[in-house]
């Protein structure tokens, strides 16, 4: 948890053709930001007390859900990792990532907080060592996710007094399912004048990270990161983050 800065974003979606509203921590797309031993997915579900006609929560229940979620997060201890919430079909679900052995106090604490608010509830846990359910179900569309993360980073540069129109070296971290996919993407990146910032790093499961850099103005980063995401997409890759240096 020490190196992880949550970045919550909420977006509208559909789950099995039903309207849904999903809040998730998009920074956990980056494997390096994840607790290494958090491999069990803990899912808490509850029936909404006052659902709308579309199965989403009313305004008053949204506030109650936010309060309960904050209480649960406050009650948790590492390595339990809050991931996000989903509201759809008259239910809301809270997702947590925990160590292989569930902390003994996790279920009683969660049940007590939900019971206090009167929700009918259910809880289960399942192995998810690759975080596949989180990545496939909770993450927003690539464009929304990238633009949201860019907003936070660019605002931090502005607050620090940087001129966003002045070009500087921007290093981009990209991810691919294999070294071969990364090598294929490198050809296109070279044509776009991106240069390797470090040798590709491949883990045991063949997941490969690549860092490339180019001189660009920070003001252009929203469109630039979307372009890089589109370059990576045919190779099942993704744009994870960027770093601006003087």
């Amino acid at each position: 948890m020490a190196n992880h800065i949550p970045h919550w974003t909420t977006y509208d979606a559909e789950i099995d053709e039903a309207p849904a509203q999903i809040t998730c921590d998009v920074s956990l797309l980056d494997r390096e930001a994840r607790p290494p031993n958090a491999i069990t997915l803990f899912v808490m579900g509850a029936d909404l007390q006052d659902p709308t006609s579309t199965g989403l929560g009313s305004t008053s229940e949204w506030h109650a859900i936010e309060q309960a979620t904050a209480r649960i997060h406050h009650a948790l201890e590492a390595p339990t990792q809050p991931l996000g919430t989903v509201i759809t079909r008259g239910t809301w679900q809270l997702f947590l990532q925990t160590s292989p052995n569930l902390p003994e106090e996790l279920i009683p604490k969660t049940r007590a907080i939900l019971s206090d608010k009167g929700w009918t509830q259910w809880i289960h846990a399942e192995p998810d060592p690759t975080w596949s359910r989180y990545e496939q179900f909770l993450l927003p569309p690539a464009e929304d996710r990238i633009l949201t993360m860019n907003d936070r980073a660019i605002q931090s540069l502005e607050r620090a007094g940087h001129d966003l129109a002045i070009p500087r070296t921007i290093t981009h971290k990209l991810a691919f399912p294999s070294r071969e996919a990364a090598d294929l993407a490198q050809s296109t990146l070279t044509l776009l004048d991106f240069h390797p910032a470090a040798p590709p790093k491949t883990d045991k499961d063949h997941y490969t990270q690549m860092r490339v850099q180019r001189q660009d103005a920070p003001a252009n980063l929203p469109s630039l990161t979307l372009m890089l995401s589109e370059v990576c997409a045919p190779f099942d890759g993704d744009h994870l983050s960027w770093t601006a240096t003087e």
Side-chain angles (χ1 to χ4, degrees):
M1 294 283 289
N3 297 322
H4 172 240
I5 301 175
H7 185 195
W8 299 102
T9 187
T10 299
Y11 67 101
D12 295 323
E14 283 192 356
I15 298 176
D16 297 330
E17 299 183 353
Q21 200 147 34
I22 300 176
T23 299
C24 64
D25 183 354
V26 297
S27 61
L28 289 175
L29 173 66
D30 186 349
R31 292 190 183 191
E32 292 183 353
R34 303 174 184 175
N37 61 342
I39 63 171
T40 299
L41 187 67
F42 174 92
V43 186
M44 177 285 304
D47 295 327
L48 296 176
Q49 298 169 340
D50 185 25
T52 63
S53 59
T54 59
L56 299 178
S58 64
T59 301
S60 61
E61 191 152 28
W62 262 101
H63 291 317
I65 288 172
E66 290 175 351
Q67 291 173 2
T69 302
R71 287 181 61 192
I72 291 171
H73 288 184
H74 182 72
L76 298 177
E77 297 179 0
T80 305
Q81 178 67 56
L83 299 178
T85 63
V86 175
I87 297 180
T88 185
R89 292 180 176 271
T91 66
W92 75 281
Q93 301 174 43
L94 173 70
F95 292 79
L96 308 171
Q97 206 81 14
T98 76
S99 59
N101 298 317
L102 286 175
E104 293 183 2
E105 73 282 0
L106 179 58
I107 291 178
K109 281 184 177 180
T110 306
R111 284 196 185 281
I113 292 171
L114 297 180
S115 298
D116 182 50
K117 293 292 185 180
W119 279 296
T120 302
Q121 61 198 255
W122 51 265
I123 294 174
H124 79 268
E126 60 189 64
D128 188 23
T130 64
W131 289 56
S132 59
R133 184 166 182 182
Y134 174 73
E135 292 180 352
Q136 295 169 9
F137 184 59
L138 286 179
L139 287 179
E143 182 173 353
D144 291 353
R145 173 171 49 81
I146 289 172
L147 290 177
T148 300
M149 296 189 76
N150 273 325
D151 285 344
R152 182 178 70 169
I154 289 175
Q155 287 171 9
S156 68
L157 285 176
E158 286 183 311
R159 288 194 297 270
H162 294 280
D163 186 340
L164 302 185
I166 298 177
R168 61 182 64 212
T169 300
I170 310 291
T171 302
H172 300 268
K173 183 159 65 173
L174 313 175
F176 298 91
S178 67
R179 178 63 179 268
E180 291 75 16
D183 290 341
L184 289 170
Q186 180 63 64
S187 300
T188 303
L189 293 167
T190 300
L191 292 174
L192 294 171
D193 204 28
F194 287 95
H195 306 287
K201 177 184 175 183
T202 302
D203 293 332
K204 292 180 181 179
D205 60 358
H206 306 296
Y207 168 85
T208 299
Q209 285 191 3
M210 175 192 298
R211 286 177 168 81
V212 296
Q213 56 187 205
R214 196 178 78 172
Q215 287 280 321
D216 286 288
N220 297 331
L221 278 163
S223 58
L224 183 61
T225 49
L226 283 174
M227 179 194 72
L228 285 171
S229 180
E230 292 172 356
V231 168
C232 296
F235 310 104
D236 293 325
D238 206 351
H239 183 285
L240 296 184
S241 62
W242 55 261
T243 303
T245 55
E246 294 291 350

